[in-house]
Amino acid sequence: MTSLREWGLDRAVLEGTAESLDAGCRWEYHDLPYWGGEVDRCINSWTLANGVWLGAPVEGISDWFVEHQLEDGGWNCEWVEGSARSSFHSTLNSLKGLLAHEVATGGTVATRAVRERGEEYLLERALYKRLSTGVAVGEWAFEFRSPFRWGYSVLNALDYFRAAGKKDPRMAEAVEVVRGARQEDGFWLQGGRHPGRVWFEIDVEKGLPS
């Protein structure tokens, strides 16, 4: 469903899907109702974005993101295990859900505020650096995978900020990273496919022009 939304499918094709999910699906975690979300930031982000796309009642999830933003301004899917430090992956995915909600509904004062604060978490780190040392957070930040799915990369982050209509000089280094990865033939190489079951493979294998 997330892929169909991101590909631009007319939601009218899925008429009745929101109601069917509401009636027949529950989360494994505490048997929570589908459109109420669960505890994973990334899952809740996709549920929020898909919900506003399909017209489902997901305001509770947008409020959940407000209540569960960490002190450093981001989010971490492992907060239920006690993590108090934000993750690049979880923060970016949370921002995507909040942006989809804001575009569809206008958001609220609170959701707009936490989204802006989450953006600052990434911008303060130039989209790929550890705040404490200034070194790259990991090689995965430079692996450009298609589709993005849950994984973080500077390309994924820049795509979010493009969609949000935000320009900031702190993104300049990340832009240069993307430019520098362009091959002589004008293409970029696929960084690999995320593990996990899929209905069908979408893009080329790692190392091939994407």
Side-chain angles (χ1 to χ4, degrees):
M1 189 162 57
T2 298
S3 294
L4 293 175
R5 173 178 54 79
E6 291 178 344
W7 292 338
L9 181 73
D10 184 347
R11 69 178 185 180
V13 176
L14 298 178
E15 183 177 357
T17 298
E19 292 77 11
S20 295
L21 288 170
D22 185 47
C25 294
R26 311 282 294 191
W27 294 110
E28 293 178 0
Y29 193 88
H30 290 348
D31 197 38
L32 293 168
Y34 188 83
W35 293 119
E38 51 124 277
V39 298
D40 184 280
R41 314 285 209 222
C42 300
I43 290 174
N44 278 353
S45 171
W46 297 320
T47 306
L48 176 60
N50 291 334
V52 293
W53 177 50
L54 296 176
V58 288
E59 290 304 312
I61 303 179
S62 64
D63 293 338
W64 182 91
F65 277 103
V66 174
E67 297 164 3
H68 289 82
Q69 189 173 42
L70 297 177
E71 287 296 321
D72 58 11
W75 292 267
N76 193 322
C77 290
E78 296 182 358
W79 72 276
V80 288
E81 278 77 46
S83 178
R85 297 178 62 184
S86 294
S87 149
F88 278 71
H89 301 280
S90 301
T91 298
L92 178 59
N93 288 322
S94 299
L95 287 172
K96 286 186 173 186
L98 287 166
L99 178 61
H101 171 262
E102 190 172 320
V103 169
T105 70
T108 66
V109 172
T111 60
R112 290 192 296 271
V114 296
R115 187 170 72 84
E116 182 175 353
R117 189 164 171 236
E119 290 177 344
E120 279 298 307
Y121 174 88
L122 297 179
L123 291 168
E124 286 174 348
R125 292 159 175 80
L127 306 192
Y128 71 95
K129 296 180 180 180
R130 296 185 184 278
L131 191 61
S132 57
T133 63
V135 302
V137 68
E139 285 301 314
W140 42 261
F142 313 122
E143 295 177 350
F144 304 155
R145 303 171 187 248
S146 177
F148 291 131
R149 304 235 186 262
W150 57 267
Y152 187 94
S153 70
V154 293
L155 179 62
N156 193 357
L158 288 168
D159 186 62
Y160 161 79
F161 282 104
R162 174 201 56 78
K166 184 152 188 170
K167 297 180 180 179
D168 191 291
R170 290 172 289 180
M171 293 188 277
E173 289 185 52
V175 171
E176 290 306 313
V177 168
V178 175
R179 286 176 174 165
R182 188 181 187 185
Q183 304 300 297
E184 291 184 0
D185 59 7
F187 288 86
W188 281 260
L189 301 182
Q190 168 74 302
R193 293 168 172 166
H194 289 295
R197 296 175 62 188
V198 295
W199 290 106
F200 52 86
E201 295 294 353
I202 296 170
D203 212 322
V204 298
E205 296 179 359
K206 182 176 181 178
L208 296 177
S210 182

